[in-house]
């Protein structure tokens, strides 16, 4: 700005009036929008994106199209183009004005050129136009931004847009008790900082998906998953008293596929007992009165070292075990929460035998067909290179096995029943197996209970009679601690 005063002082600020008044800088800018190719590109990009955005918004609001790609285009790609167009316009103006500075008297006017002179009716017109357009643009961007935010938080964005990667989780989710809970409520939870963290890690994941550089299967437990207190406990609360919960398990064997074996247990779920006010039973671990921490010796948390219990009066008890971390790994401390038992509250895949036994129980697989249980297990554990190959082969494979076992005449007579069983097996396969993600039976195991105790999953990680305090007190494995027979 010093140059201005210098200049003014030096030549008295006198500028000879030109014959044709030169275009002012503002006029020149507006001119550049219409008259230069770059300006036109900017203008066209903005206008076309806005029009398309308004059309898609209307289509979406009327519910005419329900498609993740359509939404991604409307709420992520079009706004990108609109902003690009809006950036091109001032850039075109700048390029154009460089000439203006050079080849007109503008050079001398330049210092005043950027002023907005409200007494000049053209300036006034442009200013009003500019403000009106900005308000319109900002409103459109806000609406689209909001819709975009809703969209990127929706299960069908998470589950479908990344369909190859998330399909297994999405499929299991859709049949779970949480099918109406949005992914973000467990994976992100409330609050701005987690939201920002999630969007940043989301961007990284998008890059990983595009480059194909991600682990298969997706490893679990999910590192840096938000503590359950901020997610699950938004809807559930540990104090809720559930008392006893009776569960019935049915199973068959290859020898007897007609009469189910029935196992009934009454789980001591507990909670805060309304009669005694004491926190008791299985949900005791997550009561606000106690804190249970443990040293996980491996990444999967299937080997557990020291377990530390802190009681409300500050007294702590330590249960030590002889287990040591695998070579090259060191333990990590973790405070026990819902996810140490309910690790698959929503992405719960079927167990192989459970699924076949369920088929027998519901007669989707006719138990009267000799050997059908064994053959079903064989068909389901066969390797198929893709889900498409399974679609083509499963029913036929069951027919072949049955023909070998019971003869062609039998298969001919009972064809309809065998095909029905085959179709049930195919659906079972498609619910659970994704060769492209290396997900097969038992890839993701449940911590709830002790059915995979051999591999270190479940309650018996701690309740093994071997985690001991100095005084010899153990974390007990008595069956009666957790369940008894209902009466
Ligand atoms: C009720 C809560 C909940 C909802 C809703 C939910 N998840 Fe999960 N998700 C979890 C938990 C818990 C884990 C496993 C955490 C662990 O073991 O560390 C998990 C794990 C995952 C994993 C890691 C791989 C695996 O199977 O362990 C992916 C991927 C995933 N979820 C995607 C999704 C998608 C996509 C949606 C929505 C369609 C969704 N989740 C909805 C709770 C939820
Ligand atoms: C947005 C609310 C919401 C969130 C968050 C949520 N849940 Fe749920 N959960 C529900 C509802 C609703 C039901 C009951 C569904 C029904 O009975 O159909 C339910 C049911 C359950 C059940 C009983 C399932 C059954 O088989 O009956 C368990 C266990 C459970 N949730 C655990 C969790 C865990 C663990 C988390 C955190 C990872 C969690 N929930 C997060 C709403 C939620
Ligand atoms: C020590 C293991 C453990 C922990 C920790 C745990 N749960 Fe559970 N929970 C269970 C078991 C076992 C069941 C019964 C499972 C079944 O129904 O198959 C259960 C059942 C439930 C149910 C269904 C209750 C009903 O009446 O049917 C809900 C809801 C639930 N838990 C939520 C939670 C939440 C939320 C947390 C964390 C605050 C939590 N649980 C922590 C073991 C646990
Ligand atoms: C991380 C270790 C750990 C895991 C995993 C674990 N528990 Fe526990 N549990 C404990 C400890 C420690 C105690 C307290 C033992 C004591 O002081 O006698 C306990 C106590 C209990 C109690 C008695 C609570 C009371 O009323 O005082 C029940 C019931 C129980 N656990 C059930 C389960 C079930 C069911 C599972 C699996 C779904 C499970 N636990 C998984 C560590 C664990
Ligand atoms: C630390 C708690 C705990 C202890 C100790 C325990 N159980 Fe269980 N058990 C469970 C839970 C939780 C389930 C339910 C799992 C589910 O919902 O799938 C279960 C389920 C079962 C089932 C039905 C599922 C199946 O595996 O077929 C049987 C049978 C069973 N337990 C037997 C026993 C016996 C026998 C003992 C004593 C050696 C025992 N349990 C000790 C927690 C325990």
């Amino acid at each position: 700005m010093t140059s201005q005063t210098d200049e003014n002082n030096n030549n008295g600020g006198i500028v000879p009036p030109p014959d044709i008044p030169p275009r002012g800088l503002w006029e020149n800018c507006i001119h550049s929008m219409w008259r230069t190719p770059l300006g036109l590109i900017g203008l066209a990009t903005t206008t076309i994106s806005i029009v398309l955005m308004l059309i898609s918004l209307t289509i979406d609001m009327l519910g005419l199209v329900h498609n993740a790609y359509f939404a991604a285009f409307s709420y992520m790609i079009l706004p990108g183009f609109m902003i690009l167009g809006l950036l091109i316009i001032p850039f075109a103006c700048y390029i154009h004005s460089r000439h203006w500075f050079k080849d007109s008297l503008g050079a001398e006017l330049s210092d005043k050129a950027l002023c907005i002179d409200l007494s000049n009716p053209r300036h006034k017109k442009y200013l009003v136009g500019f403000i009106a357009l900005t308000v319109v643009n900002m409103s459109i961007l806000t609406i689209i931004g909001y819709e975009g935010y809703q969209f990127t938080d929706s299960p069908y964005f998470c589950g479908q847009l990344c369909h190859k990667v998330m399909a297994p989780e999405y499929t299991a989710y859709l049949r779970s008790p949480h099918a109406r809970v949005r992914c973000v409520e467990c994976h992100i939870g409330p609050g701005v900082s987690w939201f920002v963290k999630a969007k940043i890690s989301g961007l990284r994941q998008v890059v990983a998906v595009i480059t194909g550089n991600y682990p298969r299967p997706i490893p679990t437990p999910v590192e840096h998953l938000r503590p359950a207190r901020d997610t699950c406990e938004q809807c559930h609360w540990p104090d809720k008293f559930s008392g006893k919960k009776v569960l019935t398990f049915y199973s068959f064997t290859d020898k007897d596929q007609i009469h189910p074996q029935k196992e009934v247990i009454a789980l001591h779920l507990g909670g805060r007992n309304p009669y005694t006010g004491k926190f008791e039973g299985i949900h005791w671990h997550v009561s606000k009165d106690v804190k249970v921490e443990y040293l996980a010796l491996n990444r999967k948390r299937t080997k557990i070292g020291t377990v530390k219990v802190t009681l409300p009066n500050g007294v702590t008890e330590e249960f030590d075990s002889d287990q040591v971390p695998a070579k090259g790994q060191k333990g990590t401390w973790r405070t026990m929460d819902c996810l140490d038992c309910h690790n698959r509250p929503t992405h719960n895949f079927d167990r192989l035998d459970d699924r076949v036994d369920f088929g027998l129980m519901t007669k989707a697989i006719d138990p009267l067909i000799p050997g059908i249980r064994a053959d079903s297990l064989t068909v389901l554990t066969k390797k198929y290179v893709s889900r498409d190959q399974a679609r083509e082969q499963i029913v036929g494979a069951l027919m072949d096995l049955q023909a070998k076992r019971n003869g062609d005449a039998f298969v001919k007579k009972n064809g309809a029943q065998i095909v029905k069983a085959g179709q049930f097996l195919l659906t079972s396969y498609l619910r659970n197996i994704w060769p492209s993600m290396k997900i097969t039976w038992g890839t993701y195991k449940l911590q709830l209970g002790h059915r995979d105790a051999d591999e270190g999953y479940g309650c018996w990680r701690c309740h093994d009679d071997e985690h001991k305090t100095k005084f010899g007190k153990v974390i007990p494995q008595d069956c009666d601690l957790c369940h008894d027979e209902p009466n």
Side-chain angles (χ1 to χ4, degrees):
M1 281 298 125
T2 47
S3 71
Q4 186 186 7
T5 30
D6 290 352
E7 220 167 33
N8 284 348
N9 288 346
N10 289 346
N11 60 14
I14 299 161
V15 174
D19 296 330
I20 310 159
R23 251 191 248 119
L25 185 56
W26 293 117
E27 281 93 348
N28 196 62
C29 272
I30 307 282
H31 190 253
S32 71
M33 268 164 62
W34 306 106
R35 298 294 159 82
T36 65
L38 197 60
L40 276 176
I41 291 177
L43 203 63
T45 314
T46 312
T47 318
I48 296 173
S49 338
I50 291 181
V51 172
L52 287 181
M53 263 151 66
L54 290 175
I55 295 176
S56 343
L57 197 64
T58 319
I59 292 180
D60 197 23
M61 284 185 169
L62 293 177
L64 296 178
V65 175
H66 201 67
N67 177 297
Y69 295 100
F70 172 74
F73 182 69
S74 318
Y75 299 133
M76 299 168 85
I77 296 181
L78 286 179
F81 273 109
M82 173 175 168
I83 292 171
L84 182 71
L86 287 178
L87 291 177
I88 290 179
I89 293 173
F91 184 64
C93 165
Y94 168 72
I95 299 270
H96 195 58
S97 303
R98 276 207 327 228
H99 296 293
W100 180 84
F101 281 116
K102 262 194 226 140
D103 61 26
S104 79
L105 287 164
E108 279 147 64
L109 283 175
S110 66
D111 296 321
K112 295 206 188 90
L114 280 172
C115 300
I116 296 169
D117 176 8
L118 284 181
S119 62
N120 180 339
R122 290 183 93 176
H123 277 203
K124 219 172 179 173
K125 204 172 77 190
Y126 290 145
L127 188 69
V128 171
F130 177 76
I131 292 176
L133 275 181
T134 308
V135 169
V136 170
N137 283 345
M138 290 319 281
S139 318
I140 295 177
L141 271 183
T142 311
I143 297 174
I144 294 287
Y146 178 73
E147 288 292 329
Y149 154 78
Q150 293 275 345
F151 168 64
T152 54
D153 269 10
S154 69
Y156 88 117
F157 171 75
C158 312
Q160 277 186 342
L161 206 59
C162 270
H163 58 202
K164 192 166 140 238
V165 185
M166 299 276 170
E169 279 73 26
Y170 188 56
T171 310
Y173 157 90
L174 285 177
R175 58 169 190 266
S176 79
H178 293 111
R180 294 289 179 274
V181 175
R182 293 178 307 144
C183 318
V184 292
E185 289 187 69
C186 295
H187 285 280
I188 306 178
V192 176
S193 67
W194 282 90
F195 174 76
V196 173
K197 256 190 224 174
K199 295 287 150 173
I200 293 172
S201 107
L203 279 180
R204 217 178 42 233
Q205 286 167 28
V206 169
V207 173
V209 170
I210 292 171
T211 54
N213 183 16
Y214 53 88
R216 300 169 183 78
I218 300 176
T220 224
V222 180
E223 273 173 58
H224 316 301
L225 193 75
R226 194 161 176 186
R229 135 175 49 85
D230 300 338
T231 54
C232 318
E233 289 187 28
Q234 298 288 315
C235 299
H236 302 282
W237 65 107
D239 272 31
K240 177 172 179 281
F241 186 67
S242 303
K244 284 191 186 183
K245 183 174 182 186
V246 176
L247 296 181
T248 311
F249 298 82
Y250 294 101
S251 59
F252 296 89
T253 57
D254 287 352
K255 282 211 187 78
D256 186 352
Q257 41 181 46
I258 296 173
H259 308 97
Q261 288 173 5
K262 189 172 164 193
E263 194 85 62
V264 188
I265 58 171
L267 278 176
H268 306 162
L269 259 188
R272 190 175 302 281
N273 188 323
Y275 303 107
T276 61
K278 269 181 65 182
F279 216 111
E280 59 184 39
I282 297 175
H283 278 162
W284 164 86
H285 306 76
V286 286
S287 104
K288 296 276 181 286
D289 302 349
V290 293
K291 186 160 144 194
V292 181
E293 292 159 287
Y294 66 85
L295 184 67
L297 300 179
N298 58 358
R299 217 201 139 262
K300 285 195 173 270
R301 303 183 191 145
T302 49
K303 271 173 77 179
I304 289 185
T306 309
V307 179
K308 195 160 96 187
V309 179
T310 311
L311 299 169
N313 54 11
V315 173
T316 57
E317 254 183 331
E318 277 197 17
F319 298 85
D320 282 319
S321 87
D322 307 333
Q323 299 205 64
V324 285
K327 263 218 180 88
Q329 294 196 13
K330 63 177 191 342
T332 25
W333 277 98
R334 176 175 156 85
T335 303
M336 200 168 168
D337 70 16
C338 319
L339 300 180
D340 290 295
C341 302
H342 298 284
N343 62 331
R344 323 258 355 134
T346 200
H347 312 297
N348 200 353
F349 297 100
D350 300 309
R351 298 172 68 92
L352 176 61
D353 346 12
D354 277 5
R355 192 63 196 157
V356 172
D357 290 351
F358 177 79
L360 290 166
M361 196 69 202
T362 56
K363 308 277 189 289
I365 303 176
D366 185 352
L368 295 174
I369 303 172
I372 191 82
R373 187 176 187 273
D375 289 350
S376 298
L377 292 170
T378 311
V379 165
L380 284 182
T381 40
K382 224 179 116 188
K383 288 249 178 314
Y384 305 93
V385 293
S386 66
R387 286 162 62 84
D388 279 337
Q389 196 190 51
R391 276 191 195 95
E392 283 159 20
Q393 296 186 354
I394 280 189
V395 178
L398 186 67
M399 294 287 235
D400 291 348
L401 286 175
Q402 276 290 314
K404 238 186 251 161
R405 185 189 292 270
N406 297 321
D408 288 336
F410 178 89
V411 169
K412 214 168 189 180
K413 193 159 152 250
N414 297 284
Q417 284 305 77
I418 299 174
V419 169
K420 188 175 155 207
Q423 273 156 355
F424 173 80
L425 297 181
L426 175 58
T427 343
S428 305
Y429 180 94
L430 295 176
R431 280 163 65 112
N432 294 290
I433 313 293
W434 278 263
S436 61
M437 288 300 295
K438 301 208 166 75
I439 294 178
T440 181
W441 301 104
T443 299
Y444 293 115
K445 293 196 174 68
L446 198 60
Q447 300 284 14
L448 203 72
H450 43 78
R451 298 180 76 187
D452 290 306
D454 304 347
E455 289 165 73
Y457 287 87
C459 316
W460 291 358
R461 291 176 292 165
C462 298
H463 289 267
D464 57 358
D465 284 335
E466 280 168 20
H467 282 78
K468 284 196 188 89
T469 64
K470 294 200 284 275
F471 307 106
K473 183 182 166 194
V474 297
I475 308 182
Q477 204 177 77
D478 307 339
C479 315
D480 284 356
L481 179 76
C482 303
H483 47 76
D484 54 34
E485 295 195 359
N487 44 34

